[in-house]
Amino acid sequence: MSSKQNLPDTCDKTDAMAVTVPPATRNSIGHINDPAGSKASSLEKDFRSMSSSLQDYNQESLEEVSRENSPTDFGDSDQVFLENGESQPKVREEKVQSNGLAEKSRRRSSILSKSGRPRKVKKSVSFCSMPTERRVANARDCLACMQEGTELTKLKPNGRMYRRYYWLENDLSEIRWMPTSKTYNKAKILVSQIKEVQNGKNSEAMKNKDVEMLYQEECMLTILYGNNYTPLDLVAKSPDEANIWLAGLNHLIAKQDDLSNGVDGAEQEDPELKRNIRDRWLTEIFIERSGSVVGVLPESEVIRTILGLSPAVDTQYIHQRLKELYSTDRSNAKGMLNCDEFISLYKDVASRQEIYFLMTKYGNSNDYMNAEELMLFLETEQGICDMSKSCCEKLIIDYEPSREGKAKILLGIDGLLAYLLSDTCDIFNSRLHAVTQDMDQPLSHYFINSSHKTYLLEDQLKGPSSVAAYTRVLKQGCRYIEIDCWDGPTEPIVYHGRTLTSKILFADVISTVNEYAFLSSPYPLIVSLENHCCLEQQQIIVDILKTKLGDKLYTTPINGNTFALPSPNQLKYKILIKCKKIEDSSDIISAHGYVSEEDNSVEADWKKITRKEPSKQMPMLRELSDLVIWCQSSSLEQFAQHGQSQKPWHVTSMSDTLVHRLMESSSALMEERVACNRHCLARVYPSCSKVDSSNYNPQPMWNCGFQIVALNQQTQGLDTDLNIARFKSNGSCGYVLKPAILRQPSAVFNPEATGPLNLPGVVPRVIQLKVISGHRFPKPLGSTTKSSIIDPYVLIEMFGIRADCANFRTKTVPGNGQNPFFDESFTFYTHFPEMALLKFTVLDDEFIGDEFIAQYTIPVDCINTGYRHINLLSSAGNKLAGCTLFVHITATHGADKKPMRRGNSTLNRLRVVKEAIAIKLVGIKAIDDTTKCLINNLSELAELKFNVETALIKFKEACDVGSVANIKYCVRTIANRACNAKGLTIKLVKSSGLPTFIISDGTPPDILKKALQAYLAWCKECKTLIDNGEPIRKTLLEIQALLRTIQSEMNSYVEEANLSEKKSQKALENFSWNMRVLKEQLTSLDQYTETCHSSFLKVIEAAQVNGVEVMTETES
């Protein structure tokens, strides 16, 4: 507890001090029942006086508490109590006049009165956090913190909240607290009575709306004790304190059979806590380095040893801890460390308490995990479902550093940290480092990694041009580059025309392109030539291209019957030239012709679309024109005239400003452009006003289906970060397949919609993100002062369609860039996850302008869920050594921001069924009759799926686990509760295809009975879906076959119905929509059926791992 506390002026310090009891005084009070102690009665009188004083606690101080997002620190009570515990605390002189006044005073001691409602506090705008100095690396550290005591807030089911000081007695036998109304002897819970400890919103008191608004879920703690599993709901000031109590109590529960009341704590302490495998391993390391356990190691060797054992530790941080060590009283000379000091220093700098808390959650409250516990962790948290026990044993051997741990197949905190820091646990799905997408679709079906003004290294007015720019982007997987060709003294040159940028030779550029074109990707490279040369130098361009590129240059003419672009696989290792092409209006073929010369100003673009003004003409060599095959530059007036009737090989270019103007002012024309992007290539480039080589946000362009979204890749920033992330998947080959809804011809999609979306074939997701901690954040670029410190916070942003865009920020951790602890959770709702990008940015909180520290951006589809370390990058995209962000991510289906209404299952069911069907009538009776039959079957299917999901939610609630927990974790909870119930035997019987729990030799407690009933209800719903789903599937397949027959004759149906052109188009769109919905529902049914079958197998596996006997129906 801090010795300096801020108290409201209106609050009597005496009352506040009475809440907090120092350890010395508390220990004296803890021996009240000692018959030999003569001061017990005196202390009890003191305690009663304290209780009386607390009844008059000032209301204004409590209102101050409600304005903050954590319980108020009341300060140390040393000013009130003497260390021997004999002083009586000061109390107010007012006396309670009546029972009514006493009741009123007691209500004042609640943080939140029954009628009071605190304002909602958003975590995303919390700006400060006091760093804790507690270092927790094992169970002994947790118990020591608990014995020291913690101020916690007690929650009542009626919504009242009370401040109490809780501590663990020295003999580890009971939890005590300082009450206000009951006698002191009743304010305790025996450790032997504790059945279970939970973290999060699991009880009814925790789910109170006022509590949710006032406290973080990570700070909530529920202790279940007694045969009836009575809950004690507590809230800590920080997630750290909650985790300390969670880990410590779980350890006591696991070891409670070895504890006995009335024995001195020092004698009763578990010897394994004093010297465990980790200590023995570190002792062995010390002996190897020093030659003797009683020897010493020099500082340089200590640092070298620690860095060898834990490379993630910062050298500067070790020096800082050594200075603190040297400032204490010690026998060894400065610069020399003995064995105990070495072990203590290593634990101090290399131990991470969040890793320890994670390990104790699955390690049965010990300091190690065995193979079965590791397998449960990997399946429950990391989403790895194909791990066997032997694989987990091999993983332990690979990552556990100690020989004893390897021999006993035990994974300690150092081994777990090494595993979590390895590439195996990277947040990016390693499977996507290879090409995994279908590369046989037309080029127009892919996003293409593109560069604008590729030759520039800086700005576009006077910056240098260099062939090194081409080398850089081609190595990064860029598949579209630009070359601006101008007349040189003797041969063509490349530069930004009519500016002061430097000039390079066209021949040097092509030589570089030839060397690096397919170094990082085998798929086609598009070279855009902006031709400003005379006919003579155009001939030189042709000769250079043919001579230097040779067979790589694609020159095969287009077949006249071609209606689609070729695929990337068909164009492997080929270079395509994009340029204007001569279009002859007569049979006379000359050596040259004329093409339009584009004016790249926004105003000119807008005039060409709206007024269809003609462009200027310039001569072009026919031989150069013949090199343009699949990428013919098309003018904007051609698009305005022909729209979707454009040829597939026509490539239209628009500035980013023009695209935004089209989005805002001409929705019909924009929809036509989006439709045209399904079969034609389209390019977006930065407007000419961006002379500083700045960029635009590429996400809205991708949302509209633009394939070539060209950026100034020499400019670092948000826009290039998004571009790098977009093309990080699919093996970084430069081509990423667009989502189906952006490829299919009749799909209706509005990326600017902000309301709830129901896109056929698209499964929405809810991304739940917990930012836990950061490590080794560097100082912002340009910060050179040694004494300067950073105050980091994390900004998390979701980029995608308009309905998915969101951002949150963590609290600021002042003065800690080495290991800031955030522990905050956020939720993102994504309707279109295939287009979504998640960006993490670490910033230094400054009074004027927050400075950039590091960043990382990743496509949502590439995220590995579970506990992950994010290797942060610099502004240039380079990996920062040791700079990581530790997070926990879960992804579940559904993106409805409106939660299910408790107790209103009918409305929930109607809403879910309505959203799941989404079938549209075509307007042709013969087809709509079949569609209505489809609606009935889809409604029945939606109800079956809804029932399974609802039963699973209720099962998890009955087990008091989070919504993201899996089936195996729920089974583990049931097994533990059955084990804690004395005289109870539980078995799992496989009967009628359902794994059923059977209780014998005892009566289960209500909490276990409730969980078993919810489990049985979930099993029955799964069985119902399996049994009834098969006939529905057969019916849907029959309807699908009938609709496919209708689809082949759709034109005749439209003609018979005599529909107008507009209605005919709408009918075709609705019919295509229904076909996609049907296909999606069939796939969903197969997935649900498979999930139900696999869930039953997981129940059996989890039961066996947790010691539950599994038998068949005949054996039982």
Side-chain angles (χ1 to χ4, degrees):
M1 294 297 296
S2 172
S3 60
K4 295 181 180 181
Q5 304 293 339
N6 296 324
L7 291 173
D9 295 336
T10 56
C11 176
D12 191 327
K13 291 185 179 181
T14 304
D15 296 334
M17 298 297 180
V19 178
T20 305
V21 184
T25 304
R26 185 204 61 225
N27 292 339
S28 300
I29 297 178
H31 291 83
I32 284 178
N33 294 328
D34 185 3
S38 60
K39 56 184 177 182
S41 58
S42 174
L43 287 170
E44 190 166 358
K45 292 178 181 179
D46 292 349
F47 166 71
R48 288 172 180 171
S49 299
M50 291 161 53
S51 300
S52 176
S53 68
L54 284 173
Q55 291 178 357
D56 292 326
Y57 190 64
N58 194 289
Q59 181 66 24
E60 293 186 16
S61 66
L62 296 175
E63 291 175 355
E64 178 69 19
V65 170
S66 298
R67 287 194 293 269
E68 299 178 358
N69 195 17
S70 62
T72 301
D73 292 327
F74 290 114
D76 287 345
S77 53
D78 300 86
Q79 301 177 25
V80 180
F81 291 98
L82 297 178
E83 290 188 358
N84 58 14
E86 295 181 357
S87 287
Q88 182 172 340
K90 299 177 182 179
V91 297
R92 290 186 177 180
E93 296 180 356
E94 294 90 12
K95 296 182 179 180
V96 177
Q97 300 294 332
S98 63
N99 292 335
L101 182 58
E103 176 64 22
K104 182 178 180 180
S105 300
R106 281 195 292 271
R107 289 190 179 184
R108 281 180 177 175
S109 66
S110 168
I111 292 177
L112 180 67
S113 63
K114 190 171 183 179
S115 60
R117 297 184 64 84
R119 65 179 180 87
K120 185 174 182 179
V121 180
K122 295 183 179 180
K123 294 179 289 185
S124 58
V125 294
S126 175
F127 296 107
C128 63
S129 170
M130 293 302 296
T132 177
E133 290 297 324
R134 284 175 172 172
R135 307 293 298 176
V136 176
N138 51 41
R140 187 180 186 183
D141 294 340
C142 292
L143 297 181
C145 292
M146 293 166 62
Q147 288 174 326
E148 181 182 341
T150 308
E151 188 178 90
L152 303 173
T153 301
K154 180 180 180 181
L155 303 182
K156 288 285 189 177
N158 59 5
R160 303 258 183 86
M161 308 178 196
Y162 301 89
R163 296 283 172 75
R164 298 289 184 267
Y165 195 86
Y166 291 80
W167 68 91
L168 173 68
E169 286 286 38
N170 287 345
D171 60 1
L172 310 181
S173 63
E174 58 189 21
I175 304 296
R176 281 193 172 273
W177 64 90
M178 186 62 63
T180 56
S181 57
K182 63 178 68 173
T183 58
Y184 179 79
N185 288 337
K186 293 183 179 180
K188 65 180 180 179
I189 296 176
L190 298 178
V191 171
S192 59
Q193 292 181 326
I194 299 177
K195 304 295 183 182
E196 195 174 322
V197 186
Q198 302 167 354
N199 183 225
K201 296 184 296 184
N202 296 315
S203 66
E204 290 300 321
M206 297 292 191
K207 294 175 183 178
N208 184 291
K209 291 182 179 180
D210 295 331
V211 175
E212 288 182 351
M213 290 188 291
L214 196 59
Y215 298 111
Q216 285 182 244
E217 183 176 357
E218 292 81 4
C219 298
M220 298 178 181
L221 189 73
T222 300
I223 301 174
L224 301 176
Y225 64 95
N227 294 330
N228 294 326
Y229 284 71
T230 305
L232 174 62
D233 297 312
L234 304 172
V235 179
K237 290 183 181 180
S238 67
D240 257 2
E241 289 185 348
N243 284 326
I244 287 172
W245 280 84
L246 181 68
L249 289 174
N250 278 329
H251 178 84
L252 291 177
I253 292 172
K255 301 292 183 181
Q256 62 182 327
D257 292 338
D258 299 329
L259 300 175
S260 58
N261 295 327
V263 181
D264 183 72
E267 298 176 356
Q268 182 58 36
E269 186 178 10
D270 187 349
E272 194 65 18
L273 295 176
K274 296 181 179 179
R275 178 71 66 173
N276 55 24
I277 295 176
R278 192 187 193 196
D279 290 344
R280 290 192 287 271
W281 165 61
L282 291 174
T283 302
E284 291 174 3
I285 297 295
F286 182 84
I287 294 174
E288 289 177 4
R289 299 292 194 275
S290 65
S292 170
V293 71
V294 295
V296 291
L297 274 181
E299 178 181 311
S300 58
E301 184 64 24
V302 168
I303 295 175
R304 190 180 304 112
T305 303
I306 291 176
L307 292 178
L309 299 176
S310 183
V313 179
D314 186 22
T315 306
Q316 186 177 356
Y317 186 51
I318 301 177
H319 283 290
Q320 176 187 340
R321 290 300 180 182
L322 282 170
K323 288 181 181 178
E324 295 175 5
L325 176 64
Y326 296 152
S327 64
T328 61
D329 294 334
R330 48 194 302 274
S331 57
N332 295 314
K334 184 177 180 180
M336 306 297 290
L337 277 74
N338 60 29
C339 183
D340 289 338
E341 289 174 335
F342 168 75
I343 294 175
S344 177
L345 177 64
Y346 177 83
K347 289 182 176 180
D348 190 25
V349 300
S351 299
R352 287 173 45 185
Q353 56 194 34
E354 67 269 27
I355 304 298
Y356 172 72
F357 293 143
L358 175 61
M359 187 174 62
T360 58
K361 181 179 179 181
Y362 290 92
N364 198 23
S365 305
N366 292 312
D367 291 344
Y368 294 88
M369 283 197 292
N370 59 31
E372 290 86 358
E373 293 164 345
L374 178 60
M375 184 166 62
L376 180 64
F377 164 72
L378 295 176
E379 292 181 345
T380 303
E381 299 291 356
Q382 306 300 88
I384 305 175
C385 299
D386 55 351
M387 292 290 287
S388 62
K389 182 179 178 181
S390 59
C391 292
C392 292
E393 291 175 350
K394 183 179 182 303
L395 190 148
I396 292 175
I397 294 173
D398 290 341
Y399 289 98
E400 172 57 33
S402 67
R403 287 191 291 266
E404 185 179 355
K406 291 177 186 288
K408 295 181 179 180
I409 314 295
L410 294 174
L411 186 69
I413 184 173
D414 299 286
L416 180 59
L417 177 58
Y419 171 69
L420 291 174
L421 284 171
S422 67
D423 292 339
T424 307
C425 283
D426 190 71
I427 189 174
F428 190 90
N429 190 339
S430 60
R431 185 180 64 87
L432 301 178
H433 285 308
V435 176
T436 56
Q437 296 177 349
D438 179 12
M439 303 304 290
D440 292 315
Q441 305 240 8
L443 284 179
S444 58
H445 288 185
Y446 298 86
F447 296 121
I448 304 174
N449 193 356
S450 307
S451 168
H452 178 63
K453 303 294 182 187
T454 313
Y455 48 87
L456 291 176
L457 294 177
E458 296 177 9
D459 65 86
Q460 303 188 17
L461 289 181
K462 53 185 177 59
S465 305
S466 173
V467 294
Y470 290 93
T471 303
R472 186 190 73 251
V473 299
L474 290 173
K475 284 184 176 180
Q476 292 174 350
C478 191
R479 296 290 86 195
Y480 178 96
I481 59 175
E482 294 182 359
I483 306 176
D484 288 0
C485 306
W486 295 81
D487 289 332
T490 58
E491 59 179 308
I493 57 175
V494 176
Y495 82 113
H496 193 194
R498 304 184 184 94
T499 66
L500 299 178
T501 57
S502 62
K503 303 173 178 63
I504 55 178
L505 294 177
F506 176 80
D508 292 343
V509 172
I510 297 303
S511 297
T512 303
V513 170
N514 180 61
E515 182 179 357
Y516 294 98
F518 303 107
L519 187 66
S520 61
S521 172
Y523 296 107
L525 173 67
I526 301 174
V527 177
S528 175
L529 296 181
E530 189 173 317
N531 177 28
H532 301 277
C533 295
C534 63
L535 293 175
E536 291 77 9
Q537 295 215 5
Q538 287 183 34
Q539 184 62 56
I540 299 176
I541 289 176
V542 172
D543 295 339
I544 292 174
L545 290 173
K546 290 182 176 180
T547 302
K548 292 186 177 294
L549 299 182
D551 294 338
K552 296 177 184 177
L553 188 64
Y554 189 91
T555 57
T556 306
I558 299 175
N559 188 331
N561 298 324
T562 301
F563 298 101
L565 290 168
S567 69
N569 272 339
Q570 292 173 322
L571 297 174
K572 263 188 174 182
Y573 300 106
K574 291 297 181 182
I575 295 177
L576 307 179
I577 300 299
K578 172 188 172 289
C579 192
K580 290 298 180 69
K581 188 176 180 66
I582 301 172
E583 295 185 356
D584 295 312
S585 57
S586 64
D587 296 334
I588 302 175
I589 300 178
S590 60
H592 71 275
Y594 289 90
V595 294
S596 62
E597 183 178 11
E598 291 283 356
D599 182 359
N600 288 332
S601 69
V602 179
E603 291 75 13
D605 289 345
W606 187 252
K607 289 178 182 178
K608 288 167 189 174
I609 290 181
T610 57
R611 304 179 189 176
K612 302 179 182 179
E613 292 186 358
S615 300
K616 299 176 182 179
Q617 298 293 307
M618 65 168 288
M620 183 174 188
L621 191 69
R622 183 170 297 280
E623 196 173 352
L624 178 58
S625 175
D626 291 341
L627 295 180
V628 181
I629 309 298
W630 289 112
C631 298
Q632 177 182 341
S633 297
S634 175
S635 61
L636 287 175
E637 58 261 34
Q638 286 178 313
F639 165 68
Q641 292 171 4
H642 303 290
Q644 296 188 46
S645 63
Q646 274 190 303
K647 301 295 184 182
W649 50 84
H650 286 173
V651 182
T652 305
S653 295
M654 299 182 182
S655 68
D656 65 297
T657 310
L658 175 62
V659 174
H660 283 297
R661 185 178 292 185
L662 288 175
M663 290 179 182
E664 296 171 359
S665 61
S666 182
S667 58
L669 192 59
M670 194 65 235
E671 288 178 6
E672 190 172 8
R673 180 67 260 176
V674 172
C676 190
N677 289 343
R678 294 188 173 97
H679 68 276
C680 290
L681 291 176
R683 164 179 168 257
V684 182
Y685 59 90
S687 65
C688 59
S689 61
K690 293 181 170 64
V691 294
D692 58 348
S693 292
S694 57
N695 283 304
Y696 55 92
N697 185 351
Q699 187 65 50
M701 314 305 169
W702 290 324
N703 294 342
C704 294
F706 286 98
Q707 301 89 351
I708 304 172
V709 181
L711 298 178
N712 293 305
Q713 297 206 11
Q714 73 272 24
T715 304
Q716 304 161 1
L718 167 67
D719 311 312
T720 48
D721 292 341
L722 296 179
N723 189 75
I724 292 171
R726 173 65 64 197
F727 295 99
K728 193 178 293 185
S729 63
N730 202 32
S732 299
C733 70
Y735 286 84
V736 173
L737 189 64
K738 294 196 290 187
I741 200 169
L742 293 177
R743 306 192 312 261
Q744 295 165 346
S746 299
V748 179
F749 172 60
N750 180 11
E752 295 299 304
T754 56
L757 300 179
N758 192 354
L759 306 175
V762 178
V763 180
R765 284 184 215 164
V766 178
I767 307 296
Q768 292 177 303
L769 169 67
K770 183 177 183 181
V771 181
I772 303 173
S773 60
H775 302 276
R776 295 182 63 179
F777 290 163
K779 297 174 184 176
L781 191 64
S783 176
T784 57
T785 306
K786 281 188 176 181
S787 60
S788 63
I789 58 175
I790 61 173
D791 304 326
Y793 69 91
V794 184
L795 175 66
I796 311 105
E797 300 169 278
M798 180 72 75
F799 295 89
I801 61 174
R802 185 178 291 273
D804 291 347
C805 293
N807 64 82
F808 297 95
R809 59 157 290 172
T810 66
K811 63 192 175 187
T812 296
V813 180
N816 187 355
Q818 178 62 36
N819 49 8
F821 196 73
F822 302 102
D823 211 356
E824 291 189 85
S825 299
F826 310 97
T827 302
F828 293 92
Y829 301 88
T830 58
H831 299 82
F832 202 173
E834 288 179 271
M835 290 299 298
L837 298 172
L838 189 62
K839 181 176 176 62
F840 301 85
T841 308
V842 182
L843 298 168
D844 185 13
D845 198 345
E846 294 288 344
F847 183 74
I848 301 177
D850 297 342
E851 294 188 78
F852 174 87
I853 296 176
Q855 63 85 25
Y856 185 84
T857 313
I858 183 173
V860 168
D861 270 357
C862 300
I863 291 177
N864 274 327
T865 57
Y867 287 93
R868 305 290 171 181
H869 278 94
I870 301 175
N871 294 297
L872 297 174
L873 309 175
S874 66
S875 58
N878 301 319
K879 185 176 178 180
L880 297 171
C883 181
T884 60
L885 193 65
F886 189 43
V887 300
H888 180 257
I889 301 178
T890 60
T892 54
H893 294 325
D896 191 356
K897 297 185 181 181
K898 297 179 181 179
M900 293 290 184
R901 300 180 183 179
R902 294 175 63 87
N904 204 342
S905 58
T906 303
L907 288 179
N908 290 333
R909 180 179 286 104
L910 291 175
R911 179 163 60 89
V912 170
V913 170
K914 181 180 178 180
E915 293 175 356
I917 298 172
I919 293 296
K920 300 179 180 180
L921 295 179
V922 175
I924 302 175
K925 186 177 185 305
I927 301 177
D928 287 343
D929 290 341
T930 306
T931 303
K932 291 176 182 178
C933 180
L934 176 63
I935 292 175
N936 295 333
N937 283 274
L938 291 182
S939 299
E940 186 178 352
L941 175 59
E943 284 205 30
L944 289 174
K945 294 190 293 185
F946 174 80
N947 292 338
V948 170
E949 291 179 354
T950 304
L952 180 59
I953 291 173
K954 292 181 178 179
F955 177 37
K956 291 180 180 180
E957 289 180 350
C959 292
D960 295 319
V961 297
S963 60
V964 298
N966 65 5
I967 291 298
K968 286 192 172 183
Y969 200 78
C970 295
V971 174
R972 185 192 192 194
T973 302
I974 289 177
N976 289 339
R977 289 177 179 175
C979 181
N980 291 334
K982 295 182 179 180
L984 199 67
T985 303
I986 185 169
K987 299 177 181 179
L988 185 69
V989 179
K990 296 181 286 186
S991 61
S992 303
L994 295 179
T996 306
F997 285 102
I998 303 297
I999 298 293
S1000 59
D1001 301 334
T1003 302
D1006 291 340
I1007 192 171
L1008 176 59
K1009 192 181 300 182
K1010 180 182 176 182
L1012 291 175
Q1013 290 172 348
Y1015 165 78
L1016 185 60
W1018 169 74
C1019 284
K1020 289 180 178 179
E1021 293 297 346
C1022 289
K1023 189 70 167 57
T1024 302
L1025 186 141
I1026 294 173
D1027 295 339
N1028 297 347
E1030 186 57 30
I1032 292 177
R1033 185 175 183 275
K1034 291 180 180 179
T1035 304
L1036 292 180
L1037 288 173
E1038 293 174 358
I1039 295 174
Q1040 187 181 47
L1042 179 59
L1043 290 177
R1044 284 176 177 169
T1045 303
I1046 293 174
Q1047 189 175 22
S1048 62
E1049 304 172 356
M1050 192 65 184
N1051 291 334
S1052 60
Y1053 278 96
V1054 171
E1055 291 176 1
E1056 290 177 7
N1058 195 23
L1059 298 178
S1060 63
E1061 183 179 354
K1062 186 176 181 179
K1063 289 185 177 181
S1064 299
Q1065 182 66 26
K1066 191 67 176 177
L1068 291 172
E1069 291 178 358
N1070 289 352
F1071 186 84
S1072 299
W1073 174 281
N1074 294 339
M1075 291 293 289
R1076 287 194 295 273
V1077 170
L1078 176 56
K1079 181 181 178 181
E1080 174 196 351
Q1081 292 298 324
L1082 279 168
T1083 303
S1084 176
L1085 175 58
D1086 293 339
Q1087 291 173 346
Y1088 267 79
T1089 304
E1090 176 61 27
T1091 300
C1092 290
H1093 283 297
S1094 63
S1095 295
F1096 289 159
L1097 294 177
K1098 289 178 181 179
V1099 168
I1100 297 173
E1101 292 174 2
Q1104 292 172 335
V1105 169
N1106 288 280
V1108 178
E1109 183 180 359
V1110 180
M1111 58 180 61
T1112 61
E1113 192 171 7
T1114 55
E1115 292 174 340
S1116 63

